[in-house]
Amino acid sequence: MNMFWKKMHIGRSFSVISVDDSKICGGKFHRKGKMWKMVGFSEAEIDPENPAAAWKKVARTASLAEYRVITGKVDGGCFFRFVSAEMSSSAQRGAVEFELPRHMLKVPDECSSQFCVSGSVPDDPESVMVNVAAYPASSLDDLASVMRRAGVSADEFISPFLAVDDELTSVILPEIDPDFAYVDDSWMPMPDEEVQQQNSDAWLERLKKHFLLPKKSSFDARNYLMVLLAADVLLRKHSEGSDALRVLPDQVRTVRFRGHLIVTGLLVAALAGLLVWRFMLTYGDDIAEYRRLTAETGKTRQKINELKNSIRRNNKDIKDMTRLVESRVGEAEAIAEFAVFSATLPDNVLVSSIRWGEKDIDVVVLCEDSNMDFDRVFRPLRYWKVTQQGRQNPNQGVATITLKLTPYGEE
């Protein structure tokens, strides 16, 4: 049970408001040890022209609690008990929906139901008794409309008939139905006032075991019987974490922690701003210095890369210049030498290519006579000597001959 109160956020207080055709009553309860004390109560007659006024008057006294419950009369409501197996809340709801056509003359197209386990079956230990209250969704919407106009919100609507169990199987509430009463697990014509009083006394005697009621002369416990019955259901018969009682439209359900969340968001934003401001005060100069050093490092690296590229270009230029400096001076009389060389060759010889090196000349010639002796041809020059001869395609009409000429002085 303690875990239930923690989940429902009603560990210290809750309130209940009951409504019927003529008046509204409300009570606020605070925990006092193992008992719950009604610390506030109020009632008001309903003005048919302005029903919201009575809601507002009672709500000022009764609704300011951690958890809020509405109870009382809803047009078209139905209550019954049936035998079922012990099962989870979702599975039990399926069983409840299966039982509705058996206990209602006509099941509304849109029907909301609430239920709770209320006892055992003597002959069948595996079965349980289940209390069910069902309402047309349109009637709950009408109740929600009045609550919305009055500015009243609640967490749940709980039928006072759900308090019925194996100990007290009768509950007589003429405020809800003046013609019929639930007596011994069935609906019967409304009994006389003496029986009604006996039933009220029995319930109040039992409820006083859990609730400390006001002793003021203005407090009539009978007028607050529906309030106490709904409070009894809330305390004793609602399973932990169950949605079995949920029938109240969402538009009038209490939105919890909205203000807390807004304040939390503002505080988180302020804390984040404070942390950023503190961080900047502590490390702002270091960050600026780091950024400056990073920028300088980048510029230095760029300069280093530029210098490396410049060095590579200069090295290439130096190598070219060194190679040029170390090269020997060319032949000053090359043109005259080529003229003599050309005049020396026979008419049937064609020079294909010639390369004048520092020490020799490589010549490729085409000749019809593959056996021509070029050493004899160049001997009259008394300057060039044929040191190598290579012949290709000697058996064809034109032979390709490669020659290497070396000056006598370089021999």
Side-chain angles (χ1 to χ4, degrees), residues 173-181 187-191:
L173 296 173
E175 300 95 329
I176 294 181
D177 191 336
D179 298 322
F180 294 91
W187 286 96
M188 304 292 292
M190 183 64 67

Side-chain angles (χ1 to χ4, degrees), residues 133 169 231 272 313 349 375:
T169 58
R313 290 193 299 269
V349 175
D375 184 49

Side-chain angles (χ1 to χ4, degrees), residues 115-380:
F115 57 91
C116 65
V117 176
S118 61
S120 60
V121 180
D123 298 335
D124 188 357
E126 295 184 357
S127 299
V128 294
M129 294 297 298
V130 178
N131 291 0
V132 180
Y135 311 95
S138 58
S139 298
L140 292 171
D141 290 338
D142 293 339
L143 174 64
S145 177
V146 177
M147 293 174 59
R148 194 164 54 249
R149 289 198 300 271
V152 177
S153 61
D155 294 277
E156 298 291 356
F157 178 91
I158 297 179
S159 171
F161 289 102
L162 294 179
V164 172
D165 57 14
D166 294 341
E167 180 182 349
L168 287 175
T169 58
S170 303
V171 57
I172 302 175
L173 296 173
E175 300 95 329
I176 294 181
D177 191 336
D179 298 322
F180 294 91
Y182 193 79
V183 179
D184 294 332
D185 288 337
S186 63
W187 286 96
M188 304 292 292
M190 183 64 67
D192 56 33
E193 293 185 1
E194 183 179 354
V195 176
Q196 295 180 30
Q197 186 64 42
Q198 290 176 358
N199 182 260
S200 299
D201 292 342
W203 275 108
L204 290 174
E205 186 67 25
R206 169 173 154 172
L207 292 170
K208 287 179 181 178
K209 297 178 182 178
H210 306 289
F211 301 99
L212 297 175
L213 304 181
K215 297 181 180 180
K216 297 181 180 180
S217 59
S218 58
F219 178 78
D220 185 356
R222 177 62 187 80
N223 293 340
Y224 293 85
L225 180 58
M226 288 196 296
V227 171
L228 295 171
L229 289 173
D232 182 61
V233 174
L234 181 67
L235 292 175
R236 299 194 306 113
K237 299 183 179 181
H238 181 31
S239 59
E240 294 186 8
S242 172
D243 60 349
L245 299 179
R246 186 153 300 172
V247 295
L248 197 64
D250 291 338
Q251 59 265 31
V252 291
R253 290 180 61 83
T254 304
V255 179
R256 299 198 173 278
F257 308 124
R258 176 180 292 171
H260 298 75
L261 292 175
I262 293 174
V263 173
T264 300
L266 294 176
L267 291 176
V268 169
L271 179 61
L274 180 62
L275 291 176
V276 171
W277 178 70
R278 180 66 177 175
F279 180 82
M280 293 305 298
L281 285 180
T282 306
Y283 302 104
D285 294 340
D286 295 340
I287 292 174
E289 183 66 16
Y290 171 77
R291 290 176 177 174
R292 184 184 66 80
L293 293 175
T294 301
E296 291 184 358
T297 302
K299 292 180 180 179
T300 303
R301 288 177 179 174
Q302 183 178 359
K303 290 181 179 179
I304 291 173
N305 292 333
E306 292 176 354
L307 291 174
K308 287 182 178 179
N309 293 333
S310 178
I311 290 172
R312 282 195 294 268
R313 290 193 299 269
N314 292 336
N315 287 338
K316 184 178 179 181
D317 294 341
I318 291 173
K319 289 180 180 179
D320 292 339
M321 294 175 65
T322 301
R323 186 168 55 251
L324 180 61
V325 170
E326 292 178 352
S327 65
R328 297 178 61 180
V329 179
E331 178 59 49
E333 302 295 335
I335 296 176
E337 294 287 345
F338 278 130
V340 175
F341 182 83
S342 177
T344 303
L345 290 174
D347 294 338
N348 61 347
V349 175
L350 175 66
V351 177
S352 175
S353 66
I354 185 171
R355 184 178 68 84
W356 196 317
E358 295 180 358
K359 297 182 179 180
D360 50 24
I361 300 174
D362 293 323
V363 184
V364 178
V365 297
L366 302 177
C367 182
E368 294 179 354
D369 184 2
S370 61
N371 297 319
M372 180 176 291
D373 186 1
F374 284 93
D375 184 49
R376 182 183 59 80
V377 172
F378 288 106
R379 191 175 297 146

Side-chain angles (χ1 to χ4, degrees), residues 379-396:
R379 191 175 297 146
L381 295 179
R382 298 186 181 278
Y383 182 75
W384 299 97
K385 179 181 180 180
V386 178
T387 57
Q388 294 182 14
Q389 293 188 54
R391 303 175 188 273
Q392 299 178 7
N393 307 322
N395 297 325
Q396 297 182 3

Side-chain angles (χ1 to χ4, degrees), residues 397-410:
V398 177
T400 302
I401 303 172
T402 58
L403 306 173
K404 182 180 289 294
L405 305 179
T406 305
Y408 280 106
E410 296 295 338

